[in-house]
Amino acid sequence: MITKSQSAAEAPSCTPPDGASCWLCLEEGPDDSGAPLVRDCSCRGHSGFAHLQCLVQYAKSKTKDFAERGELTLSTMFVEKLFERCPNCKQEFQGDLYYEMTKAQLSFVEKEFKGANGWYIGTLTRRIHALDGGKEEDRIEGEEICAKMLSLIDEMKKNGDPQLDAFMLASVYHDIGRFNYDIGTNQRLERAKRYLEISRDVFVSLGGCDSDIAVAIEGNIANVEARLSGSNLPTKKESDLSAQRARYNCMMLRVTGQNDVRTTQVGVHLATALFEACHTLEALRLLEKLAGTSRRVHGSDHRVTADTAFLLKQFQARYVSIGNGLNYQALRYENDGKSCVIQGPVPRNIFEPRNVDDEKTFSVPTANIYFSLGSPVMLHGLKKAAHLNGEIGDVRGHCELTDRCVVHLEGKDLKPVKVKHENLRIVFDVADPKKESS
Ligand SMILES: [Zn+2]
Ligand SMILES: [Zn+2]
């Protein structure tokens, strides 16, 4: 499934069309060293393609301009995002381009701003955000960065450096905790927990909206503890989900927050993982939120917006079977819910293309419908457990023996229930579960 969404995502912008040229040096095609034109931002059509080295040179000279005018402060460097943002469309670089630009920024600052520890720490923070603790090469670089940040903090404390405030301190501890969490071995998780706890305590002491950050870190600490104990998470899948939720929450906490395109990307991965684990309601709610943010912030042309819209369409379709071994898409209820209009047959893998010309639309008695795993459903018509009527949840299993669905309900304190098919209704619209069609 992920492969499909990624290929949908890659298509729009990254390959230069014939005749594309670098908007900085105006040369067509690869540069002298053979490095190709790159682009990974919101630029469209022929615009915005450049050589990596040209982008790096441009960012360096802009930074030097600020410095010569005496206007280079920590905030110009990191609010202007001279290395992190496309100067053309003003969107942050993504993927490999972000990775390369943060690397270039780090070596530039190491060379040109010796002794400016505040800048150095800020740059290290940017770099560690670009790394993936799960990859060997990134892990080694990240560990060096963690060690460097800690020794810089010590040095700044000793010198009474005014740039070292509590917020910077808490952020550094948070980044170190988050990175160790990414690596994920038990020893790293222990370390992650220690740093997250220090970070939380500092954010609490700052008060105001920084205490909200502390509350969210608290949630991440709980996730680390759950992964360490392994006991209160039933399966590997659940613990992976929990880790991915924590990662998404961490991204939300970053200075760039929920409007950062990388936050959306991590959110999309989380939504996909939730969907694959049959947490469809949670996946849908998250994805709807991400799709809205992406349209508003990145625009409807942005590849992340296209990606979320593509996935949302898949997630919103409801699939059922009717006992003939084939799959169908459920469209709506009829006759007070006594029958259901379905269309198909459809491929078993919902991401495969459908041959709509060969599909038929017809109505079947609701009692003959079997819900696919992950179907969002509403309980109804229960006599003994009438208080549960109207509750919604996901179908997470089928009990062959009793011919019932195992439904995990969304209500916080509700335990999973086994329910007959006739006591379930498909939820077509998560925002309005009572609506009978999509
Ligand atoms: Zn160029
Ligand atoms: Zn751009």
Side-chain angles (χ1 to χ4, degrees), residues 41-43 48 86 88-90:
C41 53
S42 289
C43 286
C86 169
N88 216 22
C89 67
K90 308 290 180 208

Side-chain angles (χ1 to χ4, degrees), residues 353-379:
R354 279 165 63 167
N355 193 352
V356 182
D357 291 342
D358 290 346
E359 294 178 9
K360 291 191 174 62
T361 303
F362 55 102
S363 183
V364 288
T366 299
N368 296 355
I369 279 179
Y370 293 88
F371 300 95
S372 301
L373 282 180
S375 295
V377 288
M378 182 189 284
L379 273 47

Side-chain angles (χ1 to χ4, degrees), residues 93-104 127 130-132 135 137-138 141:
F93 296 124
Q94 297 168 49
D96 291 348
L97 188 49
Y98 183 77
Y99 187 90
E100 292 302 329
M101 290 303 285
T102 52
K103 192 184 211 167
R127 181 60 184 155
L131 299 177
D132 175 356
K135 284 189 195 144
E137 195 187 322
D138 285 5
E141 186 183 346

